[in-house]
Amino acid sequence: MFATQQKREEMSTERRTFLKQATAAAVGVAAGGMAPTTLFAQSTTRKQPGYAPMELGLLIKPSPDPEAKIRLVRDLGFKTCFLSLDGYLNNFTPALTKQMADLLDKYQVIATTAEVVNPQPLKWNFTEGPATIGLVPRAYRKARLDALKQCSDFAKTLGIDKVQTHCGFIPEDPKDALYPETVAAIREITEHCAANGQSFLMETGQETPTTMLRMLKDVNNPALGVGLDTANLILYGKANPVDALKVLGPYVRAMHAKDGKWPTDPDQLGKEVRIGEGEVDFPKVLSMLHDLGYKGAVSIERETSGPQQVEDVKAEKLYLEGILNKIKKA
């Protein structure tokens, strides 16, 4: 009888704890934030195998069919992938960790970096982008920090040591009121990632390389680095990636291989195109990264979908392999 009563009391205590956490999460979401990251933080860390410097990979969005996406990475002949995880926000559970880990093991794929950019709204243009993208806009900063902390905690369980996002249109004027606020936000997420044994990477695009360099210096944390997106620098009209590497090269720890053309409409970004058809000088970019001692992956990102995306990625892989083989033989 006593054992039964004790069990009931334990169950009641567990239920009250769960309800308290769930209520706190619901209140946070209702207030416009994300659910507390502690609900999704995991304690175990998976060990991933290593990979060769400049190993080709593919950016994938696993949700809602992670097996199909991870199998595609293997079927296309890649050993690494870059995970875009917005589809799992507020649902980074131990069950998801197990599912993803099992699939990565099954198909012998290494996840190199994890990224989230949500929650919405996100307007990928010049007119609404500054007020909606990244950690710069005050209205969305807390929710984006919470999302990134979720991503970091989940990535840790998979053994992923890099977390990346677009930080937004970082002001070029350091006296702009938004600039020190953004420094504080990037410092906060960098420290969170560092505590998880990870680097936090700012993805190039919305800011000039010089502005990003200033941010690196002002945050002043060795865990902060750069995710080089070769096309974004051009699509946003900020720089070409060759010159950007002269400024940011030592800080680059991940790379999106992507091509594009300069913007000709002052309201809209430039056009992303298949690698080899745009303005990026891939032989020079990859050669510079090699000379800099870059150890990360070269992750293809093609912003189309369906069969055309697969066909484009196949062609892009062959194109990049030809360049990398020449560099490695030189």
Side-chain angles (χ1 to χ4, degrees):
M1 184 69 177
F2 177 76
T4 301
Q5 182 179 356
Q6 185 181 39
K7 184 66 175 178
R8 286 174 178 167
E9 290 175 353
E10 290 173 353
M11 291 175 66
S12 178
T13 300
E14 290 174 358
R15 184 173 184 272
R16 285 196 300 270
T17 301
F18 171 78
L19 289 173
K20 183 178 179 181
Q21 291 178 330
T23 300
V27 170
V29 174
M34 306 295 287
T37 55
T38 52
L39 291 180
F40 309 107
Q42 315 294 324
S43 59
T44 58
T45 301
R46 170 177 174 266
K47 179 69 174 177
Q48 286 207 104
Y51 57 94
M54 304 187 78
E55 182 75 57
L56 280 175
L58 182 65
L59 184 149
I60 59 171
K61 298 178 179 181
S63 178
D65 189 351
E67 178 152 21
K69 296 297 178 62
I70 293 173
R71 182 175 61 240
L72 177 64
V73 174
R74 192 278 313 272
D75 290 348
L76 290 174
F78 295 104
K79 295 180 181 178
T80 71
C81 68
F82 182 111
L83 297 178
S84 180
L85 297 174
D86 285 300
Y88 296 112
L89 279 176
N90 297 319
N91 195 32
F92 289 123
T93 63
L96 181 62
T97 293
K98 185 178 187 308
Q99 180 189 29
M100 296 287 284
D102 288 348
L103 290 171
L104 291 168
D105 289 341
K106 178 179 178 179
Y107 294 106
Q108 295 295 288
V109 172
I110 303 164
T112 61
T113 311
E115 179 177 60
V116 292
V117 295
N118 280 346
Q120 296 288 328
L122 293 158
K123 304 296 183 181
W124 304 102
N125 58 43
F126 293 127
T127 56
E128 299 167 284
T132 61
I133 296 173
L135 299 173
V136 176
R138 293 186 181 114
Y140 313 111
R141 190 180 297 143
K142 183 180 185 302
R144 301 260 168 80
L145 282 171
D146 287 344
L148 284 164
K149 290 174 183 177
Q150 286 186 44
C151 180
S152 171
D153 293 343
F154 177 71
K156 177 184 176 181
T157 70
L158 291 176
I160 299 171
D161 65 358
K162 292 181 284 293
V163 174
Q164 181 168 313
T165 199
H166 284 281
C167 289
F169 287 78
I170 299 173
E172 291 190 44
D173 180 1
K175 295 183 176 62
D176 186 314
L178 286 172
Y179 181 78
E181 294 176 16
T182 306
V183 172
I186 293 175
R187 181 177 291 123
E188 180 179 338
I189 185 58
T190 300
E191 290 173 352
H192 184 96
C193 290
N196 280 338
Q198 300 161 328
S199 296
F200 174 65
L201 309 183
M202 300 180 289
E203 183 168 334
T204 57
Q206 290 93 21
E207 62 290 291
T208 63
T210 303
T211 298
M212 184 170 280
L213 180 63
R214 178 179 294 116
M215 181 61 68
L216 286 158
K217 300 292 187 181
D218 288 346
V219 172
N220 191 28
N221 189 319
L224 182 62
V226 172
L228 175 69
D229 186 307
T230 52
N232 281 352
L233 289 153
I234 292 171
L235 299 180
Y236 284 88
K238 297 298 184 181
N240 71 70
V242 170
D243 289 337
L245 278 174
K246 297 173 185 176
V247 179
L248 299 172
Y251 302 95
V252 174
R253 300 180 193 173
M255 175 192 175
H256 287 172
K258 190 168 73 178
D259 211 345
K261 297 187 176 183
W262 293 92
T264 55
D265 180 335
D267 295 337
Q268 302 297 326
L269 308 185
K271 182 181 179 183
E272 189 250 351
V273 297
R274 192 167 78 173
I275 288 174
E277 297 178 359
E279 306 289 343
V280 178
D281 184 346
F282 280 98
K284 183 63 174 177
V285 168
L286 293 172
S287 178
M288 289 177 72
L289 283 172
H290 181 267
D291 291 345
L292 285 163
Y294 174 67
K295 303 298 184 184
V298 176
S299 303
I300 292 174
E301 180 182 9
R302 183 65 173 112
E303 295 182 349
T304 54
S305 60
Q308 185 60 55
Q309 183 187 51
V310 173
E311 292 307 309
D312 286 352
V313 168
K314 288 179 180 178
E316 291 175 330
K317 182 173 181 288
L318 287 173
Y319 176 82
L320 293 174
E321 283 175 339
I323 297 171
L324 288 169
N325 286 338
K326 289 180 181 179
I327 291 172
K328 291 172 183 178
K329 290 177 181 178

